[in-house]
């Protein structure tokens, strides 16, 4: 057993520590009980492997300034956060020491322990949010470096009714907030009609990935105006000042499962004060149309109704 000297005191570790280019530690496996004094109180890093959920011992990681970055915990511990008390098996921190994310569960998924197994351990938690109290099952709760609630990541089977600037919406996967507390984005659980600068659009992305709740399909600026929407049910047309016709719609492509079925790629519209930017997915913009000089119309994307909205689950 070696000893790693840190700002939290000597830490017994297994093997050698990984290091930043300047020689300061970047990651290490803790090998015996030790306490870290953090902004959330005294926390004990995971140093044992105890059951099939934890057949893997994750490392503690550090920023270059010595501040702990990621801290898997030996036991589930209730920590006091700006959103209220939360049970935690993993916590991460910003470089200034403030809490970044709290993960109520941190089991290692494997052939012996599935996401469904882990999800059955998730409990309903009640949080303080800028929208008022919200209760649900959360994969992670995220904060910015100043301690303000940044986002909520939901378990796949969780829906929350959320008041948005576009009306009440059933939300899945995640939602996020601006620093001032205004709602920044949500992931609609079902197609939701919203009013945009180019007309009514049905907001929904069937393939949205809930890795984190930071960025979602329906986004608002700090004043509550829609600034981004992803849709698989709406196409838009426009006629420019020169009479030219503009068109944009979701894409229908062959399923990646290769079974002859088809799936949809959402049309993503991003708005600012002067223009709408058109793209499909996270790639480069495909077009930028001026709002003031273009007459827009939105219509149902008929092809969408022949394609299942359910994400494909490819079999091996």
């Amino acid at each position: 057993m070696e000893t790693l000297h840190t700002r939290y005191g000597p830490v017994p570790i297994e093997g050698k520590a990984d290091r930043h280019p300047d020689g300061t530690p970047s990651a290490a496996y803790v090998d015996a009980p030790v306490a870290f004094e953090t902004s959330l109180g005294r926390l004990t890093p995971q140093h044992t492997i105890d059951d099939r959920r934890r057949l893997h011992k994750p490392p503690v990681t550090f920023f270059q300034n010595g501040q702990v970055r990621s801290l898997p915990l030996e036991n589930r511990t209730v920590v006091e956060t700006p959103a209220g008390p939360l049970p935690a098996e993993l916590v991460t921190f910003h470089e200034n020491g403030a809490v970044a994310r709290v993960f109520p569960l941190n089991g290692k998924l494997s052939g012996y322990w599935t996401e469904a197994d882990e999800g059955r351990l998730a409990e309903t938690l009640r949080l303080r949010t800028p929208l008022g109290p919200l209760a649900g099952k959360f994969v992670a709760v995220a904060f910015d470096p100043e301690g303000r609630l940044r986002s909520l990541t939901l378990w796949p089977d969780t829906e929350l009714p959320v008041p948005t600037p576009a009306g009440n919406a059933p939300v899945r996967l995640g939602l996020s907030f601006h620093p001032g507390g205004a709602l920044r984005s949500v992931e609609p659980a079902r197609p939701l009609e919203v009013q945009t600068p180019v007309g009514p659009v049905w907001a929904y992305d069937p393939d949205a990935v809930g890795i984190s709740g930071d960025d979602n399909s329906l986004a608002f600026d700090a004043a509550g105006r829609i600034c981004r929407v992803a849709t698989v049910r709406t196409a838009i047309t426009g006629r420019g000042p020169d009479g030219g016709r503009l068109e944009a719609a979701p894409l229908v492509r062959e399923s990646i499962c290769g079974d002859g079925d088809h799936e949809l790629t959402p049309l993503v519209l991003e708005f600012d004060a002067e223009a709408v930017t058109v793209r499909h997915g996270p790639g480069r913009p495909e077009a930028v149309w001026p709002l003031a000089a273009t007459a827009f119309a939105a219509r149902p994307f008929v092809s969408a109704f022949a394609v299942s909205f359910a994400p494909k689950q490819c079999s091996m």
Side-chain angles (χ1 to χ4, degrees), residues 53-292:
R53 283 187 70 235
R54 289 153 58 107
L55 292 172
H56 167 72
K57 183 168 66 174
V60 174
T61 65
F62 300 88
F63 290 103
Q64 198 163 339
N65 68 358
Q67 162 66 41
V68 67
R69 182 173 191 169
S70 175
L71 190 60
L73 304 181
E74 176 69 6
N75 298 302
R76 201 173 194 213
T77 304
V78 175
V79 295
E80 290 291 338
T81 78
L86 290 174
E89 289 188 348
L90 170 68
V91 291
T92 66
F93 297 90
H94 293 287
E95 199 164 0
N96 67 355
V99 60
R101 293 185 191 271
V102 175
F103 296 82
L105 297 172
N106 189 40
K108 175 66 174 179
L109 303 186
S110 68
Y112 302 99
W113 191 258
T114 67
E115 182 181 277
D117 293 324
E118 187 80 348
R120 280 190 284 271
L121 297 180
E123 62 187 272
T124 298
L125 304 173
R126 189 175 178 86
L127 304 180
R128 297 191 299 264
T129 81
L131 300 175
L134 288 179
K137 295 181 179 181
F138 303 100
V139 173
V141 180
F143 305 90
D144 71 13
E146 285 69 48
R148 297 168 297 206
L149 185 61
R150 187 174 70 187
S151 69
L152 306 175
T153 305
L154 310 179
W155 276 93
D157 62 348
T158 297
E159 281 189 19
L160 290 182
V162 174
T164 82
N168 292 330
V171 170
R172 66 187 181 113
L173 300 181
L175 60 156
S176 65
F177 301 90
H178 287 283
L183 190 65
R184 180 171 174 262
S185 69
V186 296
E187 195 61 55
R190 291 176 289 282
L192 175 71
E193 189 177 33
V194 297
Q195 296 298 322
T196 77
V198 297
V201 172
W202 287 89
Y204 185 63
D205 180 358
D207 286 327
V209 178
I211 296 176
S212 81
D214 291 4
D215 293 297
N216 302 289
S217 298
L218 178 58
F220 307 91
D221 64 18
R225 295 178 292 254
I226 290 174
C227 58
R228 183 179 70 248
V229 59
T231 180
V232 293
R233 289 190 56 172
T234 304
I236 62 171
T237 59
R239 190 167 296 279
D242 59 356
R245 183 174 174 81
L246 313 171
E247 295 187 3
L251 301 178
V252 178
R253 66 184 182 191
E254 187 173 345
S255 168
I256 59 173
C257 298
D259 54 8
D261 287 342
H262 292 82
E263 58 192 14
L264 297 163
T265 298
L267 171 67
V268 180
L269 305 173
E270 298 172 346
F271 305 99
D272 59 26
E274 298 180 351
V276 54
T277 299
V278 177
R279 66 177 82 234
H280 291 92
R284 297 177 58 185
E286 298 170 25
V288 179
W289 300 345
L291 292 174

